[in-house]
């Protein structure tokens, strides 16, 4: 089990003020502690995903080193879809709860003309049927970095239950479809990758006090 106490400098900008019924509140005085209970999926084999928390407790970052979906020459039939399920145990200071307010995803895509890439994510707390989703589509031709942001309105935030510790689950997915491109002579791929330290996934937290 991996325990993360502080950031490592990869978070460049943070989501705005904490929220509670529209009123701004100070962020918790103590740091978040995140235990990574499990990391499972074809996009994040053991030892290829890392989590870091920002010093001011308003964001955490997940970086990957082997998150690649592809179709075409050199690809296996199962390579068109990759996913990663992060099961996080988030310890927050007493009297506070949190929700994921927005997420920033970054990666690289090489998509032939006619090919399509999909990035999708779902967020939910253990035992809670409410799940928040975000989906982004990228069309070929494309050969460049990509970035996508999911933003959740205050009314739609899925808050952690006050006074309870429930694991927070993040299920991300990359899909690549050949579409009208020719997979017998071309390769299309999409990554979420941390090779240069600047391609990562940032999850921004909103805070509110518990009754």
């Amino acid at each position: 089990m991996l325990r993360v106490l502080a950031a490592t400098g990869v978070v460049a900008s943070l989501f705005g003020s904490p929220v509670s019924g529209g009123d701004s509140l100070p962020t918790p005085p103590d740091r978040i502690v995140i235990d990574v209970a499990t990391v499972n999926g074809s996009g994040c084999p053991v030892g290829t995903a890392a989590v870091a928390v920002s010093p001011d407790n308003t964001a955490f970052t997940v970086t990957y080193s082997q998150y690649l979906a592809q179709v075409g020459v050199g690809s296996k039939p199962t390579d068109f879809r990759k996913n990663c399920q992060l099961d996080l145990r988030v310890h927050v200071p007493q009297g506070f709860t949190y929700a994921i307010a927005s997420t920033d995803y970054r990666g690289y895509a090489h998509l032939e003309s006619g090919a399509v890439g999909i990035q999708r994510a779902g967020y939910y707390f253990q035992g809670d049927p409410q799940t928040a989703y975000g989906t982004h589509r990228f069309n070929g031709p494309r050969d460049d970095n990509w970035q996508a942001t999911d933003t959740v309105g205050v009314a739609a935030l899925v808050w952690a239950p006050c006074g309870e510790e429930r694991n927070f689950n993040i299920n991300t997915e990359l899909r690549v479809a050949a579409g009208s491109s020719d997979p017998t002579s071309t390769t299309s791929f999409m990554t979420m990758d941390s090779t240069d330290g600047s391609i990562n996934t940032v999850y921004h937290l909103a805070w509110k006090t518990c009754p």
Side-chain angles (χ1 to χ4, degrees), residues 94-147:
Q94 186 174 4
F96 283 86
T97 186
Y98 73 97
I100 302 300
S102 74
T103 60
D104 297 328
Y105 293 99
R106 296 179 180 87
Y108 190 86
H110 173 82
L111 301 172
E112 296 289 333
S113 180
V116 176
I118 300 289
Q119 182 269 319
R120 177 176 168 85
Y123 320 93
Y124 64 95
F125 290 96
Q126 179 184 20
D128 192 330
Q130 185 177 1
T131 303
Y133 290 102
T135 303
H136 302 275
R137 177 187 175 102
F138 302 87
N139 296 318
R142 183 187 182 99
D143 189 22
D144 201 356
N145 294 322
W146 63 267
Q147 180 171 345

Side-chain angles (χ1 to χ4, degrees), residues 66-86:
Q66 293 186 23
Y67 207 151
L68 167 70
Q70 63 180 352
V71 294
V73 178
S75 302
K76 300 176 183 177
T78 56
D79 286 346
F80 79 97
R81 177 186 179 273
K82 298 293 182 177
N83 82 298
C84 185
Q85 174 89 20
L86 295 170

Side-chain angles (χ1 to χ4, degrees), residues 1-5 33-39 49-52 88-89:
M1 185 177 293
L2 172 66
R3 173 161 288 190
V4 183
L5 295 174
V33 176
I34 297 178
D35 291 332
V36 183
T38 58
V39 179
V51 183
L88 307 175
R89 188 170 299 117

Side-chain angles (χ1 to χ4, degrees), residues 111-203:
L111 301 172
E112 296 289 333
S113 180
V116 176
I118 300 289
Q119 182 269 319
R120 177 176 168 85
Y123 320 93
Y124 64 95
F125 290 96
Q126 179 184 20
D128 192 330
Q130 185 177 1
T131 303
Y133 290 102
T135 303
H136 302 275
R137 177 187 175 102
F138 302 87
N139 296 318
R142 183 187 182 99
D143 189 22
D144 201 356
N145 294 322
W146 63 267
Q147 180 171 345
T149 299
D150 295 335
T151 302
V152 182
V154 173
L157 289 174
V158 183
W159 295 98
C162 282
E164 298 181 28
E165 280 197 1
R166 292 190 189 179
N167 287 14
F168 183 65
N169 294 275
I170 304 165
N171 192 8
T172 60
E173 177 182 327
L174 293 179
R175 287 178 180 261
V176 178
S180 61
S181 68
D182 183 2
T184 66
S185 62
T186 64
T187 302
S188 294
F189 65 87
M190 191 170 178
T191 72
M192 270 197 284
D193 197 305
S194 60
T195 300
D196 62 8
S198 64
I199 301 175
N200 50 56
T201 303
V202 181
Y203 298 85

